[in-house]
Amino acid sequence: MAIALMWQSLISARPLTQCHIGGCCTNCNVMVFVALFFAGFLLFLCHRQQRVVINGNQSVWLPVLSGVPQGTVLGPLLFLLYINDIESNISSEIRLFADDCILYRTIKSAADPLALQSDISKLQTWADTWQMKFNPDKCHILPIGRKRNTTAPSYHLGPSPLTVVDSYTYLGITISSDLRWENHVTSVSAKATRVLNFVRRNIYGCTPDAKELAYTSLVRPLLEYATPAWDPYRAKDINKLEMVQRRAARFAKSDYCRTTSVSKLLDDLGWSTLSDRRKESRLSMFGKAVAGRVSISVDKFSKPTKFTRFSDASTFTTISARTDPYKYSFFPRTICDWNSLSAQSRLQLVPGLSC
């Protein structure tokens, strides 16, 4: 409707009379071109129909009253234009990715829950204004903190109360209220095990190279998705992930003998432990941040004031932490690993780095 109104206003607008192209004066109705441009959008969005075909049986045609055709270039662009102002007048932190939206705020006083509820209400008002609907069943409150047995303030989205959860999956990562990764590790290892079992059933008679390729292409990416953000530090979580790779090593080598050393199989395959690969991934991401190749700022982290044989201009001051979830989070943990690298290793990660 907004595009239709804009198109009508452009048609009725006063056109420009002349424009100069290549030194020649040519009558050029720029506004007609713009009107035709928006008319193209109208043809893309309006008067569409759909039906269902099952085993040759067809349903009747029904009009498509909302949405855009999937698989198009214009579809995501129009969606981004549509939601571009969703964060207007929001005082809390807001993050958008495709059709996912999170709103978060540090609760320090009694006024903060009220401000958060106000921002939630503003989102609902925005949705009502632009004729969109949030799904309350998929909207939850996830309190994050060390306090236990505390009653979280009640929040609502329109008339629907929002449920309080202990963990929630966002962009493929299960975030828990205590910021530990046990739930996510359990989910990831279970999913990777299911895929590994599927591979074992279907290519058990193939060559070791084919089995290795199947593992590194189909299974290991599941174990390493976004690992810089969630690298676990508890031994039981680390072992749970490593067990998936150890079973894959036996499968790749077709060696299920109980006396065979799985460590030797891993060495023969040239597979590093998943823990080492996660560490390398974190260091690589931190190196990109130092080089400015990703939108992660490291400017807020201080550098040592005195240089020693263990520190130079490329190192950072170690971040102190009182809790394990923070101590083993990305920045405190990776800065320690970064400082322990040799100057040459840091130069390999960030060419041109001043040491």
Side-chain angles (χ1 to χ4, degrees):
M1 182 61 69
I3 293 179
L5 293 175
M6 186 182 299
W7 179 59
Q8 292 291 339
S9 63
L10 285 174
I11 290 179
S12 61
R14 187 175 183 178
L16 298 178
T17 56
Q18 291 181 340
C19 69
H20 295 272
I21 301 177
C24 298
C25 182
T26 307
N27 291 330
C28 179
N29 195 332
V30 177
M31 301 311 293
V32 169
F33 170 78
V34 176
L36 292 176
F37 177 77
F38 281 101
F41 275 100
L42 286 177
L43 294 176
F44 178 74
L45 295 173
C46 301
H47 308 298
R48 289 187 173 272
Q49 295 180 319
Q50 63 182 3
R51 68 179 178 181
V52 178
V53 179
I54 300 178
N55 296 328
N57 298 318
Q58 302 175 357
S59 68
V60 298
W61 288 101
L62 292 175
V64 180
L65 302 178
S66 63
V68 295
Q70 295 186 2
T72 63
V73 176
L74 281 179
L77 174 61
L78 291 176
F79 178 77
L80 291 177
L81 292 174
Y82 198 80
I83 67 169
N84 187 54
D85 63 338
I86 190 174
E87 58 184 17
S88 300
N89 301 320
I90 299 295
S91 62
S92 303
E93 297 291 336
I94 186 171
R95 293 290 181 268
L96 303 172
F97 184 84
D99 59 346
D100 287 317
C101 173
I102 61 171
L103 196 69
Y104 60 95
R105 188 185 190 94
T106 303
I107 305 300
K108 296 181 178 180
S109 65
D112 289 315
L114 298 177
L116 183 58
Q117 176 58 62
S118 175
D119 289 334
I120 296 174
S121 300
K122 290 177 182 177
L123 292 180
Q124 182 61 48
T125 301
W126 177 89
D128 294 338
T129 301
W130 293 107
Q131 302 179 18
M132 290 192 69
K133 291 183 179 180
F134 291 113
N135 187 350
D137 295 334
K138 294 184 178 180
C139 300
H140 305 283
I141 297 296
L142 175 63
I144 296 177
R146 299 176 60 191
K147 294 183 179 181
R148 294 294 179 264
N149 300 323
T150 58
T151 303
S154 60
Y155 299 93
H156 61 273
L157 181 64
S160 304
L162 297 178
T163 57
V164 179
V165 296
D166 294 327
S167 62
Y168 189 75
T169 301
Y170 178 68
L171 300 183
I173 300 178
T174 302
I175 303 174
S176 301
S177 58
D178 57 1
L179 292 181
R180 301 185 189 275
W181 301 111
E182 181 177 1
N183 293 339
H184 183 67
V185 169
T186 300
S187 174
V188 167
S189 59
K191 184 176 182 180
T193 298
R194 289 194 297 269
V195 176
L196 177 60
N197 291 338
F198 174 81
V199 171
R200 291 170 60 181
R201 290 193 302 267
N202 286 274
I203 63 169
Y204 62 90
C206 293
T207 63
D209 290 341
K211 294 178 179 179
E212 180 181 359
L213 180 61
Y215 167 72
T216 56
S217 301
L218 302 176
V219 181
R220 193 164 67 184
L222 301 176
L223 297 169
E224 295 184 333
Y225 169 74
T227 50
W230 63 270
D231 187 5
Y233 58 91
R234 287 183 166 183
K236 66 175 184 179
D237 294 333
I238 295 173
N239 293 335
K240 186 177 291 187
L241 296 172
E242 295 292 349
M243 285 301 298
V244 179
Q245 177 161 273
R246 294 171 74 86
R247 288 194 291 268
R250 287 191 177 276
F251 165 67
K253 286 294 188 179
S254 300
D255 190 342
Y256 298 95
C257 181
R258 298 183 63 182
T259 59
T260 302
S261 171
V262 182
S263 298
K264 185 177 184 306
L265 295 179
L266 291 171
D267 292 337
D268 293 341
L269 290 166
W271 293 355
S272 301
T273 63
L274 296 176
S275 178
D276 289 341
R277 288 176 60 86
R278 289 194 297 271
K279 179 179 178 181
E280 293 173 1
S281 180
R282 284 191 292 105
L283 288 171
S284 175
M285 180 63 69
F286 189 79
K288 292 177 182 178
V290 172
R293 296 199 294 269
V294 293
S295 57
I296 300 176
S297 176
V298 295
D299 297 336
K300 60 182 178 180
F301 301 112
S302 59
K303 300 249 181 154
T305 56
K306 296 181 179 180
F307 297 156
T308 66
R309 59 178 179 173
F310 300 109
S311 62
D312 53 37
S314 64
T315 59
F316 292 84
T317 303
T318 303
I319 301 175
S320 59
R322 294 182 299 173
T323 61
D324 284 346
Y326 183 51
K327 178 181 178 180
Y328 293 101
S329 61
F330 177 76
F331 282 116
R333 187 179 189 181
T334 309
I335 284 177
C336 290
D337 295 334
W338 177 266
N339 292 342
S340 65
L341 294 175
S342 64
Q344 182 178 3
S345 298
R346 290 194 291 269
L347 279 173
Q348 291 177 349
L349 289 171
V350 187
L353 181 66
S354 176
C355 297

